[in-house]
Amino acid sequence: MKLKIAVQKSGRLHDESLRLLKDCGISIDNGKDQLKAPAKNFPLEIYYLRNGDIPQYLKDGVVDCAIVGENLLVEKGDGITHMQPLGFSKCRVSIAVSKIFEYDSVQDLAGKRIATSYPVTLQKYLSEHGIEADLHIINGSVEIAPNIGLADAICDIVSSGSTLFKNNLKEVEVILQSEAVLAASPRIPEAAKAYLENLQFRIESVLKGRSSRYVLLNAPDEQLEQIIEILPGMKSPTVLPLAEKGWSSIHSVVPQDEFWEKIEALKAAGAEGILVCPIEKMVV
């Protein structure tokens, strides 16, 4: 029995998905153009699938789990369990209009033609605002629709916004914030659930490591209490006496998104010789 996991065959999610599995200590035999490959050191088999097909494979139980965009699950993945946000491939599903469109609010979309690859997500949003519009379902190159007179607006996935800019469009409404997630099939066999839990444990350890930094510093003993308040650590900081009397070494973990604030506060409190190291994995 092996855990069957689907990842995107090519595109935004592919490389980051494989990197995550590698960081989880899973080695995959991946020959060129393979659609299925086994792991060497974990009971796992990876399926390389078209992105849009992954939700149906999960629903049918062809695969047990997948690394897939949350936006795709909202659109096509009713009944599929979101196990874990993964922190990469962040994007949003947004409505955009021509730069010359005089847009004040979502009510301006009433009766308009909107081209989209996300009809379910868009219709839900419009219905919540009591708006009726004419939806044109397009797969690919949605941004060109207003320029050729096919639609008044579009609803599509947006990352940097550069594609909208190139097509003389402006983003006016954000419907959904999305990122890659680990998702589980509603039909996953009982025998595979233990492997999935093991995989999720490894993923959580990798993600915690990526989002944290290990900090080592020297501090005068009279400032220890103030510095420890800045660096709470996972439970509490490690404090070790230095050879020089009156000084101690403090070791702790800092969330990456608080890093610069903490460093500035530590320097102001008298910390010296601050070293910052990446954390490969963190098990708590």
Side-chain angles (χ1 to χ4, degrees):
M1 180 69 188
K2 290 187 177 182
L3 180 69
K4 295 175 289 185
I5 184 170
V7 301
Q8 190 181 52
K9 183 179 179 181
S10 61
R12 297 183 310 113
L13 286 170
H14 176 82
D15 292 344
E16 283 288 350
S17 298
L18 295 185
R19 178 191 166 207
L20 177 61
L21 293 174
K22 181 179 179 181
D23 288 348
C24 288
I26 298 172
S27 177
I28 299 167
D29 288 320
N30 182 21
K32 185 177 180 182
D33 298 326
Q34 276 186 296
L35 298 180
K36 186 172 70 170
K40 293 180 180 178
N41 55 353
F42 191 86
L44 179 143
E45 198 166 46
I46 189 166
Y47 288 62
Y48 299 97
L49 304 175
R50 286 181 61 250
N51 199 42
D53 293 339
I54 291 177
Q56 193 61 51
Y57 276 74
L58 285 166
K59 287 181 180 181
D60 293 342
V62 176
V63 294
D64 303 316
C65 61
I67 296 175
V68 63
E70 186 178 7
N71 58 297
L72 197 58
L73 293 185
V74 171
E75 181 67 24
K76 298 181 176 182
D78 185 40
I80 296 172
T81 302
H82 297 210
M83 298 286 292
Q84 175 82 43
L86 301 177
F88 59 83
S89 290
K90 293 186 178 183
C91 62
R92 55 198 180 273
V93 178
S94 296
I95 297 173
V97 298
S98 169
K99 289 181 179 178
I100 62 174
F101 189 114
E102 295 183 5
Y103 186 92
D104 294 318
S105 74
V106 68
Q107 300 300 322
D108 293 331
L109 298 173
K112 295 295 191 290
R113 299 166 299 164
I114 308 177
T116 184
S117 299
Y118 294 88
V120 174
T121 307
L122 175 59
Q123 186 59 64
K124 180 181 178 183
Y125 180 80
L126 295 176
S127 297
E128 288 172 352
H129 290 80
I131 295 169
E132 293 186 7
D134 183 13
L135 305 191
H136 290 253
I137 301 174
I138 298 177
N139 294 315
S141 302
V142 176
E143 295 85 359
I144 198 173
N147 293 328
I148 61 175
L150 180 62
D152 304 298
I154 69 163
C155 176
D156 200 18
I157 192 170
V158 178
S159 295
S160 66
S162 61
T163 303
L164 296 182
F165 179 81
K166 292 175 184 177
N167 285 277
N168 294 312
L169 301 175
K170 59 183 178 182
E171 187 177 5
V172 293
E173 299 286 341
V174 176
I175 295 178
L176 173 71
Q177 296 284 356
S178 175
E179 64 181 285
V181 298
L182 177 68
S185 167
R187 297 188 177 186
I188 181 172
E190 286 296 324
K193 287 183 179 179
Y195 297 141
L196 179 57
E197 289 174 2
N198 191 333
L199 175 62
Q200 187 178 11
F201 167 76
R202 294 191 185 195
I203 288 174
E204 288 175 348
S205 298
V206 170
L207 296 181
K208 286 173 183 173
R210 288 181 181 179
S211 63
S212 304
R213 292 293 180 266
Y214 191 76
V215 176
L216 303 86
L217 59 88
N218 298 328
D221 288 347
E222 65 267 19
Q223 295 298 110
L224 284 180
E225 185 174 342
Q226 182 180 352
I227 289 175
I228 287 172
E229 287 181 2
I230 300 171
L231 287 175
M234 289 181 285
K235 285 185 180 288
S236 64
T238 300
V239 180
L240 301 171
L242 292 179
E244 184 176 345
K245 189 175 181 180
W247 283 79
S248 295
S249 174
I250 301 178
H251 300 211
S252 191
V253 174
V254 175
Q256 186 172 355
D257 58 1
E258 300 176 13
F259 171 74
W260 288 111
E261 294 176 13
K262 297 287 188 184
I263 294 300
E264 290 167 4
L266 289 169
K267 288 185 65 178
E272 297 181 6
I274 302 172
L275 300 179
V276 182
C277 306
I279 300 174
E280 185 174 320
K281 298 172 185 68
M282 190 165 75
V283 180
V284 296

